[in-house]
Amino acid sequence: MAFLPFADAASHELPLGRLLRLSMFQVSVGMAMVLLSGTLNRVMVVELGTPTWVVALLIAVPLLVAPFRALIGHRSDRHISALGWRRVPYIWFGTLMQFGGLAIMPFALLHLSRPENFAIGMVAAAVAFLLTGTGFHVTQTAGLALATDLAPENKRPRAVALLYVMLLVGMMLSAFVIGGLLIEFSPTRLVQVIQAAAVLTMVLNLMALWKQEARAPDRTKADPDAPSFGELWNGFVRDGRNARLLIAIGIGAAAFAMQDALLEPFGGEILGLSVGATTALTGAWAFGALVGFMLSGRSLSRGGDPLRIAGLGLVTGVNAFLLVVFAPAFASPTMLYIGAGLIGLGLGLFSVGTLIEAMNLAKSETAGLALGAWGAVQATCAGAGIAFGGVLRDVIAAFAVNTDPAASTMIIGATRATGYTSVYLIEIVLLLAALAVIGPLVGHARRNSNETGESADQPFGLREFPT
């Protein structure tokens, strides 16, 4: 239990059973994330023959909503409801959008696989991905905010930490279950699996929402003295030191995310893995991220520097991508699975470290906004990385195959793996760049606390963790 910073998350106000029931919305979000960024990209590329650049752009569509997460959280804070609810309306409508997107998605994908219906399929798939992504962004933002409302202040970080762990557990379980169901792939089976996920989303979120938020009469009218979103945002961005941290977060997030649309197709196309086997790569990634979270919690509880943890995550990512790059040369699926797990481990360390640093930088009146900015930068740059990685893979692969043999050898080698490995090498360069940006910030908070006489230690938790 020493590895679990959320072991004592339960309280009299929020018993463990109620907290675990609330965490069900995170399981549904994890399931949607596995479908969108894991299983479906492999199915579209390998089984349905969809161009990789189309798949990458579709996966990036939900992240268009990510920059607005801070605004969504702020709006739920100030929501005026005749019923006296703040979070429930956002969770409910987010659930409806998530359900609707998943319900129409398989039919959109089947149209996308037919050349005569490609335009219709493209539009329908974009709508389905956007609805699903918007739904889980809204649901997760409001759901985590509800958890902070329900938990007492001294238990709040640990309660939200438990919700994040449930997200990773949901991703792992979904990856293995969906992968098992799709071992024998057919269009009918694809429709059944995705629509079952839509129904399960509705069931889990209703379970999570039931009798959680109490109605409050003071939420039926606006507070004229409440600061606006613009005022809070301006106060946050005036702190110039935040820029370097946000740049490091953006570079690191893009570096880790460029492989999101490529790892499962890479395993299927280059190493010949089945749909179930490649979906297990997402499970290995989620397991690595969970381990990274727990190791981060252990280090932080002992007074570790958050940015040193983030830097360790970047170094871990470099080694992970090297394993992935060399897996085809050794024809080793084992190396690919280990690499996927280490990618998750590195991302977990990097994400937790930078998030805790954002918490340390924030003033009390802008803490939520600072974490929202963290989530917005992280998710937006991740989306850009996903889209750029898919396009780059197609361009490099086409050039390597079509050019003359001598030039092909000079590039990397005209093989099917060329496009994939080129993207992985670029990710290694970006991770090294993020290390260079984040380096001067290491130890800054500790030096400041020593100068002011304040303790740098604080309870560990992932308050309002975005993704």
Side-chain angles (χ1 to χ4, degrees), residues 260-275:
D260 278 5
L262 303 179
L263 193 60
E264 291 199 29
F266 178 72
E269 185 177 351
I270 306 305
L271 293 178
L273 302 179
S274 67
V275 175

Side-chain angles (χ1 to χ4, degrees), residues 393-411:
R393 179 265 171 196
D394 280 359
V395 171
I396 294 177
F399 181 70
V401 171
N402 294 331
T403 191
D404 63 87
S408 298
T409 303
M410 292 175 60
I411 299 173

Side-chain angles (χ1 to χ4, degrees), residues 269-294:
E269 185 177 351
I270 306 305
L271 293 178
L273 302 179
S274 67
V275 175
T278 56
T279 300
L281 289 170
T282 301
W285 171 91
F287 178 76
L290 178 59
V291 172
F293 176 81
M294 293 189 292

Side-chain angles (χ1 to χ4, degrees), residues 13 20 63 91 99 108 134 143 174-175 216 240 260 262 279 299 306 325 337 342 347 358 369 380 396 427 445 449:
E13 295 86 350
L20 289 174
L63 294 172
I91 298 174
F99 171 83
T134 302
S174 299
D260 278 5
L262 303 179
T279 300
S299 178
V325 166
Y337 281 108
L342 289 178
L347 179 60
L369 190 62
T380 302
I396 294 177
E427 289 182 280
S449 65

Side-chain angles (χ1 to χ4, degrees), residues 311-326:
L312 177 61
L314 295 172
V315 173
T316 302
V318 170
N319 289 280
F321 284 115
L322 286 174
L323 276 175
V324 172
V325 166
F326 286 108

Side-chain angles (χ1 to χ4, degrees), residues 178-313:
I178 293 171
L181 292 174
L182 289 176
I183 289 178
E184 298 295 332
F185 177 82
S186 70
T188 301
R189 179 61 62 88
L190 179 66
V191 172
Q192 292 172 337
V193 169
I194 299 179
Q195 292 201 322
V199 174
L200 187 58
T201 293
M202 185 67 73
V203 172
L204 290 174
N205 287 3
L206 284 174
M207 287 174 55
L209 196 58
W210 185 254
K211 292 187 176 181
Q212 293 285 8
E213 184 178 24
R215 295 168 60 182
D218 60 339
R219 297 173 189 163
T220 60
K221 55 184 178 180
D223 180 5
D225 299 325
S228 67
F229 176 77
E231 291 171 340
L232 291 175
W233 177 256
N234 289 334
F236 172 73
V237 297
R238 274 198 296 267
D239 186 348
R241 186 179 176 271
N242 292 343
R244 191 178 189 97
L245 177 63
L246 292 178
I247 291 172
I249 291 169
I251 296 174
F256 278 111
M258 286 177 69
Q259 56 78 35
D260 278 5
L262 303 179
L263 193 60
E264 291 199 29
F266 178 72
E269 185 177 351
I270 306 305
L271 293 178
L273 302 179
S274 67
V275 175
T278 56
T279 300
L281 289 170
T282 301
W285 171 91
F287 178 76
L290 178 59
V291 172
F293 176 81
M294 293 189 292
L295 291 178
S296 300
R298 183 176 177 84
S299 178
L300 288 164
S301 67
R302 296 180 174 183
D305 188 329
L307 291 182
R308 289 188 184 276
I309 295 172
L312 177 61

